[in-house]
Amino acid sequence: LSINETVTPEEIKAYYEANHESFQQEAQVNARHILITLDENASDKEVAAAEKKIKKVLAKAKSGQDFAKLAKKYSEGPSNSKGGELGWFGRGAMVKPFEEAAFALKKVKSASLYVLVSKDLDQVKDEINSLIAQEKAADSITDKLDHAIDLLASGMKLDKVSEELGIAFKKSEQATVENLSRAFGMTESAAQTIIALPKGNATDMPVAIDGGYILVEKEADVPPSLSPLKDQKQDIE
């Protein structure tokens, strides 16, 4: 069953205004850094040397030298080839001291703070259109399934129900619990219920499958038998 629903601009705007919290984006920072590595067991002399080096780089940055070029030259971290670029990140993505320092900075050459309280309607209108269309389709499908169950309960055959409601109808190949589960993504118990249907009877409730629901009517029973070798030769090989 395929249903295409039309969504108006007024519906999109109303949904956006009623669901602002769904489109909020937390504060993010886009930062560069210059990393001077230091072993946790470093000696006082090594610590002092690292501090001297980073203060020297800091002085160059404060004097107006290009931070990215300084990062490429002095940084010992993996981002040095990109000028120390770390990309956008939110709170919780970095170690706490670095995070606090990055979020405390105003926009400068070394880092920039980007806060977006809510995405603009234009940014999310396609997403909203899809959400509303899905909701409408779900309501329509529910109505059609309820009507189909009523018609089946009245004794109408599944092919006639299909014609009445415009729902796709298809005859399957011989089915087993295994291939029903595999082909449709239904549970094993649902497949067993279908196999156990009396000949000529239909399911009294929709069966959930991957991407939707199906109604099933058993047309015939095939008794157990030994599959001919020619049909199984390739699998056996």
Side-chain angles (χ1 to χ4, degrees):
L1 174 61
S2 177
I3 297 177
N4 295 315
E5 297 290 346
T6 300
V7 180
T8 67
E10 292 74 21
E11 288 176 313
I12 293 174
K13 184 178 180 181
Y15 187 98
Y16 175 76
E17 291 176 350
N19 295 276
H20 265 155
E21 69 282 354
S22 300
F23 305 108
Q24 289 182 346
Q25 183 173 308
E26 65 179 20
Q28 291 186 322
V29 165
N30 187 359
R32 296 180 185 273
H33 76 155
I34 294 174
L35 176 68
I36 304 300
T37 59
L38 193 65
D39 189 88
E40 61 180 18
N41 297 317
S43 65
D44 292 344
K45 184 177 180 180
E46 290 171 324
V47 172
E51 287 181 348
K52 182 179 179 180
K53 185 175 182 180
I54 199 65
K55 286 178 180 178
K56 175 184 175 182
V57 177
L58 178 60
K60 290 177 179 290
K62 285 186 173 181
S63 71
Q65 292 190 37
D66 186 272
F67 194 92
K69 290 181 179 178
L70 290 172
K72 286 182 179 181
K73 184 175 181 179
Y74 294 105
S75 182
E76 298 168 4
S79 65
N80 57 3
S81 62
K82 299 184 294 182
E85 174 67 50
L86 296 174
W88 291 100
F89 58 89
R91 292 191 180 277
M94 301 290 181
V95 294
K96 198 66 175 177
F98 181 87
E99 173 190 296
E100 294 301 328
F103 274 87
L105 285 170
K106 294 181 180 179
K107 186 175 180 182
V108 293
K109 289 187 177 180
S110 56
S112 57
L113 177 64
Y114 175 73
V115 182
L116 184 62
V117 176
S118 182
K119 296 179 182 177
D120 292 332
L121 177 57
D122 285 344
Q123 293 177 280
V124 295
K125 64 181 181 182
D126 289 342
E127 179 184 347
I128 293 173
N129 185 89
S130 178
L131 288 170
I132 296 175
Q134 288 175 19
E135 289 177 1
K136 285 185 171 184
D139 291 341
S140 181
I141 289 171
T142 299
D143 291 342
K144 282 183 179 288
L145 285 174
D146 288 344
H147 193 183
I149 292 168
D150 291 341
L151 293 175
L152 287 170
S154 72
M156 185 180 288
K157 289 296 183 180
L158 195 58
D159 57 344
K160 299 301 180 183
V161 172
S162 169
E163 292 177 10
E164 178 80 13
L165 301 180
I167 301 174
F169 173 80
K170 183 180 179 181
K171 290 188 177 183
S172 72
E173 300 295 328
Q174 294 180 15
T176 64
V177 169
E178 182 180 13
N179 63 29
L180 281 174
S181 299
R182 184 173 61 247
F184 294 101
M186 66 178 66
T187 64
E188 184 176 331
S189 61
Q192 289 172 341
T193 298
I194 291 171
I195 295 297
L197 282 171
K199 180 181 176 181
N201 283 34
T203 50
D204 56 4
M205 291 294 290
V207 178
I209 61 172
D210 285 343
Y213 297 90
I214 58 171
L215 295 168
V216 183
E217 181 180 275
K218 180 183 279 189
E219 190 172 68
D221 274 313
V222 179
S225 62
L226 181 64
S227 181
L229 176 59
K230 63 181 179 64
D231 294 340
Q232 302 299 324
K233 184 177 179 181
Q234 185 175 352
D235 288 341
I236 292 171
E237 287 178 349

